[in-house]
Amino acid sequence: MSWSTGLLGFAAGLLISVATAPVGVSGAVFLLPVQVSVLGVPSPAVTPTNLLYNVVAGPGALLRHHRAGTLRRPLTRLLVLGTVPGVVVGAVIRVFAVPGPSVFRLLIAVLLLPLGGWLCLRTLRRASRTAPAREPSSRAVTRLAMAVGVAGGIYGIGGGSLLGPILVGRGMPVAKVAPAALAATFVTSVVGAGTYALLSLSVTGDIAPYWSLGLACGLGGLCGGYLGARLQPRLPETALRLLLGVLALGVGGLYAVQLLR
């Protein structure tokens, strides 16, 4: 890895995590297309590299939430218990079932387009109504976490990047969801990155993470995540949700156009 690539990765991780950490998203979901299209990380190595980013970047925001006393909540345990087994299954599927770049682009478009549209719609509807939505049950949260963990293992986002906007859209406050989603992302990313490292010992090809680039992006995310968590009480919640939705739509649309070419 050249110095310019490392600095670009650091800057990308820093800027993305500052914008996404306030709502409980590590930023890996938006860093992934940067790694593929700009930094040249091949598939499927981009997935464990993205998980490595989460491992390095996660403690920044988590440290801030720990100091605020918001990590020791039942929601954190529910998300971790669901996403950890899911991310292992997703990693196995990613290596043995969907290694091709075309299928990978399709997965990006299929995941991000509906997520971005749904997030924007739920944000606008939430802003226009007065009655709060009913929060999901503990069983529903665990099942959702397991399903998202599988998707996260395939996509390389740890799972929390999907759980955060889904749970906020279901009526949970951002202050409650953000630390739990970030904690789940960190734990599942550790498990997911380890799973890919083990699979790389028995499977040929680009399976192992790009360690130097993942560390560079992660160090940027470490700094940006801490800053983003500090900014959470000062930023307009509705504007941040809409921004994340628009970014997801844009990235998903980009890969959809590439598939049609």
Side-chain angles (χ1 to χ4, degrees):
M1 182 187 69
S2 64
W3 281 104
S4 59
T5 300
L7 288 175
L8 183 59
F10 179 87
L14 175 66
L15 295 175
I16 290 172
S17 60
V18 166
T20 59
V23 290
V25 178
S26 70
V29 66
F30 302 116
L31 181 64
L32 188 144
V34 175
Q35 293 192 43
V36 173
S37 302
V38 179
L39 301 177
V41 181
S43 175
V46 65
T47 301
T49 303
N50 229 29
L51 291 173
L52 178 60
Y53 160 81
N54 282 336
V55 173
V56 179
L62 292 177
L63 176 61
R64 177 61 185 174
H65 287 299
H66 174 71
R67 290 178 175 176
T70 56
L71 283 178
R72 296 180 181 179
R73 291 176 177 174
L75 180 61
T76 302
R77 294 191 294 271
L78 291 175
L79 295 188
V80 171
L81 288 175
T83 54
V84 165
V87 76
V88 175
V89 174
V92 174
I93 294 174
R94 179 72 178 91
V95 171
F96 294 104
V98 288
S102 297
V103 178
F104 191 36
R105 292 191 183 100
L106 177 62
L107 284 173
I108 294 174
V110 168
L111 281 170
L112 287 187
L113 282 174
L115 176 61
W118 181 84
L119 180 57
C120 290
L121 178 62
R122 292 293 295 182
T123 301
L124 294 173
R125 290 181 60 187
R126 180 183 176 87
S128 64
R129 67 179 181 223
T130 56
R134 182 179 180 182
E135 294 187 7
S137 65
S138 298
R139 181 175 297 180
V141 169
T142 303
R143 290 176 178 175
L144 175 64
M146 185 170 294
V148 170
V150 174
I154 297 173
Y155 192 39
I157 55 177
S161 301
L162 297 176
L163 282 170
I166 290 174
L167 293 176
V168 169
R170 289 291 304 273
M172 289 187 173
V174 172
K176 180 179 180 180
V177 172
L182 288 170
T185 296
F186 175 72
V187 174
T188 53
S189 294
V190 172
V191 175
T195 301
Y196 275 100
L198 290 175
L199 290 173
S200 69
L201 299 177
S202 59
V203 180
T204 58
D206 293 310
I207 305 300
Y210 277 34
W211 295 99
S212 57
L213 182 59
L215 290 173
C217 294
L219 289 175
L222 181 71
C223 301
Y226 185 84
L227 293 174
R230 284 184 62 90
L231 289 173
Q232 184 187 55
R234 302 177 178 88
L235 296 175
E237 182 174 310
T238 300
L240 279 174
R241 289 176 178 172
L242 287 175
L243 174 61
L244 289 175
V246 171
L247 286 173
L249 285 171
V251 174
L254 173 64
Y255 281 98
V257 170
Q258 290 180 349
L259 283 171
L260 295 176
R261 289 179 180 177

